[in-house]
């Protein structure tokens, strides 16, 4: 379990990402309308109901953020690549599955790194940190801008290692914290043997949160 | 001085209130509450006359009218649930009769000042808060309602039996409407 301060910081980050006016707020008029719809007499004032709702909502949010685990939202099976495969094989693999990155595993299936478009572009763009559009723009001017000789390089030479990853039992709040402030789009989920069992993308998190509403 | 003014202002401003009254329930709801309570007192009244008049134990008492407001007019309220109705009246009556026995009706105001707060506290502690219980404690503590003659029998009837009949009537009547359910809890 994360420390309380860490959790609060992450909660604050989550809260700050939504402006006050966008956050779900109910008005006393909403409550009055709801009471009318119920038709029966409820012996609580709209103000007390609103206070109660806000407290309950905060509890529910905290509980949900701690109850949803990585294994509940991860996507599986995961497309993984072996560290001994070549860059060409990797590009073909990513293209075939229409994905932009993948966890890298050793022969036993244990996670050793991650490889993404960014790593590939860095290698094929002569070692520079280059974005896809920058590379395309360079290629329009000079087709040789792409370093095609690097195709046989092994994946373990270009991957990002050690890889940031998630455990099966990590909570939604931990997952959000790991993504927070980092330019990463996916995190592999590993079991106790460090074997990749799933993957969580930013889209998974967005879907999970949007399904709560 | 400035602090005092601030405190006083903060205190007085609370008296303005902060909320709106809950909306009025619809007409059907109001009609059902009226019919239900009418039915309950017809039953209690009929039972009172042939059986209880002879025994000298009454089944009718004014606080049951207040209970009927909750049981039929606000049946979802935690204050209107069976444990609150029966428990509230019984506990308050025990307190009221005990206070009456202790003071012997000689100090009615003192009796009320002891019985009603005790009833509130005991009802809260036992999870049986029922506002009409306060009326029961009030009336019994200074020997009204025939408590003078009945003593602790008054707890049995009308308090226990009267409130049980009221709850049983509500149990039958309040569940007839498809959207209504009584009780919310036992």
């Amino acid at each position: 379990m994360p420390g309380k301060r860490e959790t609060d910081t992450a909660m604050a980050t989550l809260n700050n990402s939504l402006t006050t006016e966008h956050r779900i707020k109910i008005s006393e008029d909403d409550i009055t309308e709801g009471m009318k719809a119920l038709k029966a007499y409820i012996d609580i004032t709209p103000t007390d109901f609103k206070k109660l709702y806000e407290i309950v909502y905060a509890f529910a949010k905290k509980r949900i953020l701690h109850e949803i685990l990585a294994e509940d939202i991860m996507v599986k099976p995961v497309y993984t690549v072996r560290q001994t495969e070549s860059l060409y094989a990797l590009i073909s693999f990513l293209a075939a599955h229409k994905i932009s990155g993948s966890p890298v595993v050793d022969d036993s299936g244990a996670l050793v790194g991650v490889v993404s478009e960014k790593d590939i572009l860095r290698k094929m763009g002569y070692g520079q940190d280059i974005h896809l559009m920058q590379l395309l723009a360079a290629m329009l001017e000079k087709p040789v801008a792409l370093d095609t000789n690097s195709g046989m390089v092994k994946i373990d030479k270009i991957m990002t290692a050690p890889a940031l990853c998630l455990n099966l039992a990590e909570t939604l709040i931990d997952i959000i914290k790991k993504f927070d402030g980092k330019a990463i789009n996916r995190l592999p989920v590993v079991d106790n043997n460090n074997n990749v069992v799933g993957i969580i993308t930013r889209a998974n998190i967005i879907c999970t949160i949007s399904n709560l509403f | 001085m400035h602090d005092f003014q601030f405190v006083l202002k903060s205190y007085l401003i609370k008296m303005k209130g902060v909320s709106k009254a809950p909306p009025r329930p619809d007409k059907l709801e109001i009609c059902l509450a009226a019919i239900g309570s009418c039915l309950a007192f017809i039953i209690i009244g009929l039972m009172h006359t042939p059986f209880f008049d002879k025994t000298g134990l009454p089944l009718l008492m004014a606080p049951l009218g207040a209970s009927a407001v909750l049981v039929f007019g606000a049946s979802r309220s935690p204050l209107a649930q069976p444990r609150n109705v029966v428990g509230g009246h019984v506990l308050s009556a025990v307190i009221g009769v005990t206070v009456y026995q202790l003071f012997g009706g000689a100090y009615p105001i003192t009796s009320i000042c002891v019985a009603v707060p005790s009833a509130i506290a005991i009802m809260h502690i036992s999870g049986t808060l029922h506002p009409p219980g306060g009326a029961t404690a009030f009336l019994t503590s200074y020997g009204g309602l025939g408590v003078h003659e009945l003593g602790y029998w008054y707890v049995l009837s009308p308090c226990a039996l009267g409130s049980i009949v009221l709850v049983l009537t509500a149990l039958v009547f309040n569940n007839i409407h498809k959207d209504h359910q009584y009780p919310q809890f036992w």
Side-chain angles (χ1 to χ4, degrees), chain B residues 92-93 95-97 100 135-145 147 154 159:
Chain B
S92 299
I95 292 165
V97 174
Y100 176 74
T136 302
F138 180 109
L139 291 169
T140 50
S141 63
Y142 77 89
L145 303 171
V147 172
Y154 195 84
C159 292

Side-chain angles (χ1 to χ4, degrees), chain A residues 83-102:
Chain A
Q83 59 180 345
T84 50
E85 288 182 75
S86 70
L87 178 55
Y88 270 172
L90 170 68
I91 293 170
S92 307
F93 178 81
L94 297 181
H97 292 104
K98 295 177 182 170
I99 51 177
S100 61
S102 164

Side-chain angles (χ1 to χ4, degrees), chain B residues 1-3 6 11 17 22-23 29 45 56 66-67 75 89 94 100 115 122 124 130 133-134 136 144 162-163 172 184:
Chain B
M1 189 62 194
H2 183 263
D3 276 355
F6 176 76
Y11 171 72
E29 196 78 20
S67 294
S75 65
H89 278 302
V94 169
Y100 176 74
I122 296 294
H124 251 320
H130 184 62
T136 302
S163 53
V172 175
Q184 298 287 313

Side-chain angles (χ1 to χ4, degrees), chain A residues 120-160:
Chain A
I120 299 169
L121 290 173
R122 190 182 299 128
K123 186 65 194 168
M124 300 197 80
Y126 297 97
Q128 299 169 42
D129 263 331
I130 189 166
H131 289 278
L132 179 61
M133 287 305 139
Q134 289 173 314
L135 185 65
L136 286 174
M139 283 176 70
L140 285 172
E141 285 181 9
K142 194 170 66 165
V144 291
L146 196 65
D147 179 10
T148 50
N149 296 324
S150 56
M152 295 317 289
V153 171
K154 297 281 181 265
I155 292 173
D156 59 4
K157 296 287 185 288
I158 63 162
M159 69 186 184
T160 303

